[in-house]
């Protein structure tokens, strides 16, 4: 489960970077790729945190671990304005935010499929 999330996340981050190259230019490619990669890593960590309780059927423990995973994902949301304020030329706001969302949302849907 964790390896699948990591593999899909890396693939999505690469697709975002290539796609943003044509839509936003080289800066958009860097920002989208970096934040797509951050989203993939954070989602993989969140999945790794929740995975042990998912198989056991302990839903109270799963809920606690999922909440910790939500906090991990929040770190990425916080990282976007920090990076934009640090160097707006390297991390334009729109490509950075869209790169993060374009990778995280499909990975969240992949995670939801596992809860069924």
């Amino acid at each position: 489960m964790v390896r699948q999330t990591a593999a899909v996340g890396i693939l999505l981050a690469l697709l975002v970077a290539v796609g943003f190259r044509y839509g936003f230019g080289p800066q958009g490619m860097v920002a989208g790729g970096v934040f797509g990669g951050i989203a993939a890593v954070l989602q993989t960590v969140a999945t790794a945190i929740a995975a042990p309780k998912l198989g056991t059927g302990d839903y109270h423990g799963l809920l606690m671990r999922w909440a910790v995973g939500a906090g991990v994902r929040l770190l990425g949301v916080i990282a976007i304005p920090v990076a934009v304020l640090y160097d707006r030329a390297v991390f334009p706001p729109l490509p950075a935010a869209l790169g993060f969302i374009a990778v995280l949302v499909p990975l969240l849907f992949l995670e939801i499929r596992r809860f069924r």
Side-chain angles (χ1 to χ4, degrees):
M1 175 169 25
V2 176
R3 287 183 183 153
Q4 182 185 16
T5 300
V8 171
I10 290 169
L11 178 65
L12 286 171
L14 289 173
L15 289 173
V16 163
V18 169
F20 281 18
R21 169 77 170 113
Y22 297 107
F24 294 108
Q27 291 87 7
M29 179 182 75
V30 170
V34 166
F35 277 98
I38 289 171
V41 168
L42 293 178
Q43 180 61 28
T44 302
V45 169
T47 302
I49 291 170
K53 294 291 182 177
L54 186 60
T56 63
D58 178 18
Y59 291 108
H60 183 266
L62 175 64
L63 184 60
M64 300 284 269
R65 287 176 177 253
W66 189 85
V68 171
V72 168
R73 292 179 200 99
L74 183 63
L75 293 174
V77 174
I78 293 169
I80 294 170
V82 170
V84 168
L85 289 174
Y86 179 72
D87 194 352
R88 191 178 185 109
V90 175
F91 299 109
L94 186 60
L98 287 178
F100 185 78
I101 291 170
V103 173
L104 189 65
V105 170
L107 291 177
L108 285 172
F109 279 112
L110 183 64
E111 181 183 20
I112 290 170
R113 286 187 53 198
R114 289 191 186 105
F115 285 129
R116 286 199 242 164

